[in-house]
Amino acid sequence: MTDDVSYAHLLGARLRHFRGLARMTLDDLASALGTSPSRISLIENGHREPRPSELPTFARALGVSVEDLLVLTAPNERASEELELRRMQASPVFASLGLPKVKIGRGMSDDVLGLLVGLHRELERRATTASATPEEARLRNTEQRAMMRSKNNYLPDIEAIAEEQLKRIGHEAGALTHREVHLMVEQLGLEVVYVDDLPHSTRSITDLENGRIYLPPASIPGGHGLRSIALQAVAHRLLEHTPPKSYADFLHQRLQINYFAAACLMPQRQSVEFLGARKQARDLAVEDFRDAFGTTHEAAALRMTNLMTQHFGIGVHFLRVGPDGEVLKAYENNNLPLPVDVTGAVEGQIVCRKWGARRAVEVAHRTTEFWQYTDTHAGTFWSSTQTGHSSGGPFSITFGVPFDDARFFRGRETANRQTSTCPDPACCRRPPRDLEAQWAGRAWPSARLHAQILASLPTGRFPGVDETEIYNYLERHSRS
Ligand SMILES: [Zn+2]
């Protein structure tokens, strides 16, 4: 709150507070200081600032130290609420209502002050929530992807923070172990507590008061997922995140914590050494990178999008595609023509049936990568796709590069080649003529919405999460 309320207001509130404790009237203090009561009143209301040279005199008259006066926090709850109301009345959200401001001062009862502050808080909460429509969410996603594209999906600041943390725990080579993640957590003055009753809407909860990170138990002993969740929780703390003020903020924080976790699990220096050696040997493969660092295929492919352009000058693309061919996640900086809607969003758009991302689901054996060259109007691309199966159905993870860079990758000699002319409907959207003649006008499908695209819209301070549930949870657990 100190950011939003001026120094003069805080100082004034503290002077009034200490004058009350000293049982002095305005007149008493004014005569002790040789000034007028009206000037003291202006100072206490934050309309004037005392000269710095006067502060020792003020402090002596009130029987406190100069430091007591200068601490930049509200001296008591009443003053804190008055300052909060002052800030809220100055906010753009309030200004947009065109309502008059109320005079804040001793004439206002505690009840009325409490009521106004409560209403303002609700007003701010609703203003934040209302902006998080699906359109807003898609727009912010698109903006964020464009921002990351301009940085080659590489964030040097977070790489540096991750490297610093890894150095502190003495991690030198190989996969980051659960033990090392715990060390990192301990060095930050936190402890990890495994619980099996985390609220459904959360992946982890950090109790800032008692320094604990609550994590779910491993469903598979030694499973990799937990390291990532613990690192993400650590990242919120290391990057000094505060509750997101907008959906864009929320997305940015999520990107940062995911990036930090990846940069710890696949450290920059070791990863670049590994990838560089494989490139030299012309035997690059996402699956080897994945296995060398003990992560998921998706995490490894995404990490390669962070490093391949920055360190090797290779343009890349990444796709996670769902059971109906819809894009769940995508990134490119090699001009692969991703399907986009009118707003530029790719999430939920249907990928060309001829791309490796979809052909792999039909033809590939689930344990091996599926390689393919695809000719498009933007050039020829090589890609490697791994398929999998989740509760939502089959999905595929694709990593790809332009034709010229395929020479560094395992699978470059594949004979699989397809031509895609999407978004031309004749490419793969239009049914075969005979089927169309048979069925046109005789079928009525009812569409299923892709829940995952619209589902995780934020509400409240912590998007997608029930705050009451969280606080109740911490109440119960902090006592044990
Ligand atoms: Zn197509």
Side-chain angles (χ1 to χ4, degrees), residues 259-281:
Y259 197 107
F260 174 81
C264 288
L265 293 173
M266 292 158 277
Q268 175 169 240
R269 183 172 55 77
Q270 293 95 310
S271 297
V272 170
E273 272 169 25
F274 180 91
L275 295 170
R278 290 315 182 94
K279 174 172 174 278
Q280 189 93 35

Side-chain angles (χ1 to χ4, degrees), residues 191 193-195 197 207 210 212 214 473-480:
E191 65 171 321
V193 182
Y194 293 102
V195 290
D197 60 346
D207 174 348
N210 300 298
R212 290 179 181 174
Y214 292 101
Y473 183 87
L474 289 177
E475 273 298 312
R476 283 201 311 277
H477 279 261
S478 61
R479 286 174 201 172
S480 60

Side-chain angles (χ1 to χ4, degrees), residues 350-355 419-429:
I350 303 298
V351 164
C352 177
R353 210 176 269 282
K354 298 182 176 174
W355 285 14
T419 300
S420 161
T421 58
C422 269
D424 171 11
C427 171
C428 61
R429 311 284 159 121

